[in-house]
Amino acid sequence: MSLPRIAIDAMGGDEGVRVMIEGAALARRRHDRFKFLLVGDETQIKAALANHPGMSGASEILHCEDVVAGDEKPSRALRRAKTTSMGLAVDAVKRGDAGAAVSAGNTGALMAMSKLALRTMPGLDRPALAALLPTLSDDDVIMLDLGANRECDARNLVQFAIMGAAYSRIVTGRERPRVRLLNIGTEETKGTEDIQAAADRLRAASELAMDFEGYVEADKINRGECDVIVCDGFSGNIALKAIEGAARFVTDLLRNAFSSSFRSKVGFLVSRPATELLKHHLDPNNHNGAVFLGLNGVVVKSHGSANAKGVANAVEVAARLLEDDITNRIAKDLSAVDTQSLDAK
């Protein structure tokens, strides 16, 4: 099966060209069907490609020297969308020169550019940022929104649930993903009016290909008890940062404990298989690749500090969404719902 090429914002991220090209090359070694449009400074890209000869025949370079800064305001970056590597990568999707775009740059700028260039899908009010988080079960959990929308009403939350379920069917293969709303308790009376209204609508939406199971509290996000967790972007971003911080805390705590004495170092050698498994599970590079769901095109956000393995995973997320036609899946699910019944009260 042929696969549209993927536009890579080669200048984004903490380490820029070297890691982005190395990550793309790693993804291509795993999947030799991948082809790329590499957007950025041609001299730097060619120098990086010299270390990955297998990429030459699978890549085209779109020269661009302008870069969106990590701390740049989205409004300012938006005005430079036609001259920056990030903006040109997204524009390649709009023009059909690429099937998807991957960037490790400024999240706010990427969302603003993507929304302006690709527009929100018919029937949706807002796109949402969705990511895969590790769990104790065999499958990751999809969580959205993780920061694209600070405030959300009941209609937004229901639409996020529809998008998340469509994504989950691709990732887990479940015909009816288990969906829950993030809340401060599991009782039906808990939460804001919008959360309660969204829950009522999801319970009644039997035509949707999902099983709505009520609420989930933040301490259960990684238990593997559901497939999709829905929330507003403000709460979701806080929860995500708390999870990432807890993971780093556990990793650092173990490192300090195992280096505190000779006996603890011996203990580390004995327990190394278990600690390596823990490290693998907590490594954000193994779950890298957040998706802007709800746009007329595929855009994947790689973590700014991702290494080559993380970038490769983000590229693979983009490819998988292209293969499984996520945009049409969401459109089909939306068409099964009476949109008038989802209007905010």
Side-chain angles (χ1 to χ4, degrees):
M1 174 183 174
S2 61
L3 186 70
R5 64 181 180 176
I6 297 171
I8 305 290
D9 171 15
M11 311 299 286
D14 294 351
E15 298 192 50
V17 175
R18 181 187 64 80
V19 168
M20 296 304 294
I21 300 302
E22 187 177 345
L26 177 57
R28 178 164 170 77
R29 287 199 294 273
R30 296 173 180 171
H31 310 275
D32 59 10
R33 296 178 297 115
F34 289 4
K35 294 183 179 180
F36 304 102
L37 176 65
L38 306 175
V39 187
D41 183 82
E42 185 173 16
T43 300
Q44 294 184 52
I45 292 175
K46 284 185 174 180
L49 285 175
N51 298 317
H52 307 282
M55 285 281 287
S56 298
S59 304
E60 179 183 344
I61 298 174
L62 176 58
H63 177 67
C64 172
E65 297 180 0
D66 202 2
V67 181
V68 174
D71 59 352
E72 189 168 339
K73 291 184 178 181
S75 58
R76 182 176 184 275
L78 199 57
R79 293 194 292 270
R80 302 191 300 119
K82 294 184 178 181
T83 64
T84 58
S85 59
M86 178 187 290
L88 291 176
V90 173
D91 188 62
V93 178
K94 176 185 178 181
R95 292 184 286 104
D97 287 345
V102 176
S103 175
N106 184 313
T107 303
L110 183 61
M111 169 57 86
M113 290 180 181
S114 300
K115 190 173 181 179
L116 181 64
L118 302 177
R119 303 295 180 181
T120 305
M121 292 175 57
L124 284 175
D125 297 330
R126 304 175 180 182
L129 184 62
L132 296 168
L133 303 182
T135 71
L136 293 176
S137 69
D138 293 334
D139 293 316
D140 293 335
V141 63
I142 292 169
M143 189 166 171
L144 72 167
D145 176 32
L146 295 178
N149 305 281
R150 185 175 60 185
E151 297 179 356
C152 300
D153 60 23
R155 177 184 171 94
N156 301 143
L157 295 174
V158 172
Q159 292 178 350
F160 294 170
I162 293 171
M163 293 191 292
Y167 187 16
S168 180
R169 287 197 293 278
I170 293 174
V171 174
T172 67
R174 290 179 183 269
E175 288 300 317
R176 298 185 63 85
R178 301 163 297 171
V179 178
R180 296 186 186 181
L181 292 167
L182 184 65
N183 204 345
I184 59 173
T186 58
E187 299 88 348
E188 291 187 10
T189 57
K190 290 292 182 70
T192 64
E193 291 183 2
D194 283 316
I195 290 176
Q196 292 183 26
D200 290 341
R201 297 174 201 187
L202 288 170
R203 289 190 190 97
S206 58
E207 69 274 23
L208 293 176
M210 69 172 77
D211 289 327
F212 178 66
E213 298 184 345
Y215 303 137
V216 61
E217 294 181 82
D219 63 333
K220 299 294 194 302
I221 289 175
N222 302 104
R223 303 300 297 180
E225 297 173 357
C226 57
D227 304 303
V228 180
I229 295 176
V230 179
C231 56
D232 62 82
F234 185 81
S235 302
N237 192 267
I238 290 176
L240 177 64
K241 296 295 174 56
I243 290 170
E244 291 176 342
R248 287 193 295 270
F249 171 72
V250 170
T251 302
D252 292 343
L253 196 63
L254 287 173
R255 183 184 298 111
N256 293 340
F258 282 127
S259 61
S260 61
S261 67
F262 175 76
R263 178 178 294 181
S264 64
K265 292 177 181 178
V266 173
F268 168 73
L269 293 176
V270 174
S271 61
R272 188 166 186 173
T275 55
E276 286 297 320
L277 179 61
L278 177 64
K279 179 180 178 182
H280 174 81
H281 209 58
L282 295 179
D283 186 355
N285 288 292
N286 294 322
H287 308 275
N288 188 45
V291 185
F292 291 134
L293 293 177
L295 298 173
N296 292 300
V298 174
V299 178
V300 174
K301 171 66 174 70
S302 171
H303 200 293
S305 62
N307 60 21
K309 180 174 65 174
V311 173
N313 284 338
V315 170
E316 289 171 2
V317 167
R320 190 168 185 179
L321 293 178
L322 287 174
E323 288 178 323
D324 289 277
D325 201 4
I326 183 65
T327 303
N328 284 332
R329 280 184 179 238
I330 292 174
K332 182 179 178 181
D333 289 347
L334 283 171
S335 68
V337 181
D338 177 9
T339 56
Q340 296 300 317
S341 69
L342 300 179
D343 288 336
K345 294 181 180 179

